[in-house]
Amino acid sequence: MATLELQGLAKSFDKTAVLHRIDVSLQDGEMLAIVGASGCGKSTLLRLVAGLEQPSAGRILLAGRDIIRLDPAARDIAMVFQNYALYPHMSVFDNMAYGLRIRGLSKAEIGRRVQVAADMLGLDALLARKPRQLSGGQRQRVAMGRAIVREPQLFLFDEPLSNLDAKLRVQMRAEIRRIQRNLGVTSLYVTHDQTEAMTLGDKLLVLNEGRPAQFAAPMEVFARPADTYVAAFIGAPAMNFLPATMGEGGVVATLADGARLVLTDGARPGLAGRKATIGIRPEHLVLAGKGGGDAGGFATTLDLAVELIEPLGSETLVHGMLMLDGTSLTLVARLPGGPPSLTDGRLRLGVPAAELHVFDGETGKRVEVG
Amino acid sequence: MERRTLFQGWKLPVALVLPQLLLTFVFFLWPAGQAVWYSMTQQDPFGLGSVFVGLSNFRELFADPLYVHTILRTLVFCFAVSALAMTVALALALVANRELRGRAIYRTLLIWPYAVAPAMAAILWLFMLDPEIGLLGHPLVKAGLPWDYHVSGLDAQFLVVLASSWKQISYNFIFFLAGLQSIPQSVIEAARMDGARGWRRLRTIILPLLSPTMFFLLVVNLVYAAFDTFGTIWALTEGGPGKATETLVIKVYRDGMINQDIGGSSAQSVVLMLGVIAITAVQFRFMGRRTKT
């Protein structure tokens, strides 16, 4: 039974800070997905917890015990590496048994644990093989098995699916989640894939250049992104942003072309008279009637010059340009069904007032009602 | 993946290969052929003529207990040099592979001995270990240590093994370092998390992954010790005292160049040649199999 707490964890290489004060708290059995663009420090964070790197500041509490001074082997943590890091000269069985032998477990116990893991992962017939005789997916399973047999307090996954093809990735994603749930082991899962992050994590930590941008449940992050970085990162295609100026009282946002958006959910008085960024997700844009105007409960309608239509079968992505007072903005809409019919290569899209996200135009931080 | 350039006609490809073929012929095949021929002849004492004697030179050779002794001595010498040079080089490479301050300087310095000529290396060791004038040897003798390689065969053997190994450590070091760096860092990290450290990690992870490098170096070191140590040994002891440090190449030189027994010396060369061919064949087969999988 292990909870995990990271308190003010920071890491600098020489004088370059790569992680700034990470605070995370996980319940027993929870899975935390750590997501961010490459170079955001997410792998470094994992390596700090693993003990492969020493933090510059902060504490790591595993089951209430500070493990920072402990050797990686003494931390009771197992890790699945991105390239699997299997021992090439050992059989599948020996790869899994290696850590157990070092820990001095009895032969019978080692055999039992490896057997259980092999059954769980469908590796039974492969135990005598060497890693080079396995496919990518099988190697991935062995790497999982090596972590499972350790029966650790914490699993660390470092982009374990990034070397697999798309179909296998979806399959293994579900499998990792199922196994992790069944075993009930607290886990950290690093990925750059926002879909993996959304589907796997009980909690989500979004990192932006070494800083924690948001730490919350996935749906919370999706519904209420803390800043424009998170908003753009989580959700595909990415959220659209419209630069605007907030009117007096913080209720009406004016776009550069003079269009007015009324924030029906409430006022943002803090932003009154200042620049704001209005966010709207592609799937929230809807086809507006040809009549135009602000009919039908839309905050406003946008006149899109369509550049590209991508029919995906059940839905269609529409990419286009929006002219706002001389500057052009790219915009993406995700519409249900097949391709819409255009008028002169243009499309009118309605912006539902209820789906708007409001960010500070300077800091990019989310601004809530009140 | 197969990549081939197709030439039209045969003249250009032949012209391109010819220089290498000529070199191989003039410097390798021809002398080797001559050695084989001489090994089956007997020269008269004044070098004015020779007669074909078939395999009698070889028969004589293997009937000579001194020759069989030299073979055994050479084997011991070769394995001693290989073991010492490889062990020390591996230890140094393991250190140099760590995160070290001044790592580049350390690595560069370790490569230097390779550039020292064999005779120079021998002189350096003489200056250090000579019982009369050696920086280290003289104080040791004064301190009461019975050390004199001019007299003691064992001391002399120790000295030639030491000097010969020192020359080869640089070469081994480079290969071991390259081998260590080709081991994926994540495999070492996985072993760390599995709890393997120190000697255990070395024995169960690093050494097995280095085994192709080790095998390659073993062959190279054996061949080096058998042939390229001539200069070092000759400058140090000339094969003495007695025959204590006489290896096969020293004996070839002594019998052929000093004692003017061209036929017998050539027969020894041919035996050596067969030995090298055998070692190389084993290496090619082994390495070939490894790279296929």
Side-chain angles (χ1 to χ4, degrees), chain B residues 223-247:
Chain B
V223 172
Y224 159 81
F227 292 94
D228 290 353
T229 51
F230 173 80
T232 311
I233 297 177
W234 193 257
L236 281 173
T237 63
E238 295 184 4
K243 293 194 178 303
T245 56
E246 186 173 89
T247 60

Side-chain angles (χ1 to χ4, degrees), chain A residues 175-247:
Chain A
E175 197 157 340
I176 287 179
R177 189 56 169 148
R178 181 176 58 80
I179 289 170
Q180 190 266 339
R181 282 250 169 85
N182 286 346
L183 299 174
V185 178
T186 316
S187 303
L188 300 187
Y189 189 104
V190 159
T191 177
H192 62 268
D193 181 322
Q194 57 101 18
T195 318
E196 270 176 35
M198 288 290 290
T199 50
L200 281 172
D202 295 304
K203 295 261 181 64
L204 204 55
L205 173 65
V206 185
L207 288 181
N208 179 14
E209 293 181 349
R211 290 169 207 281
Q214 192 165 10
F215 171 58
M219 280 318 289
E220 167 76 5
V221 174
F222 184 79
R224 294 156 47 81
D227 58 27
T228 49
Y229 177 84
V230 177
F233 200 88
I234 301 295
M239 185 186 278
N240 299 298
F241 296 111
L242 307 168
T245 310
M246 219 50 158

Side-chain angles (χ1 to χ4, degrees), chain B residues 8 15 22 25 46 51 71-72 79 83 89 108 121 133 137 150 180 190 192 204 206 211 225 240 254 262 265 288:
Chain B
Q8 288 175 340
L22 269 177
F25 180 77
F46 302 102
V51 284
I71 292 182
L72 292 177
F79 279 99
T108 311
I133 57 162
H150 300 298
L180 285 173
R192 269 178 79 188
T204 56
I206 295 174
S211 62
R254 190 189 299 283
I262 303 291
S265 166

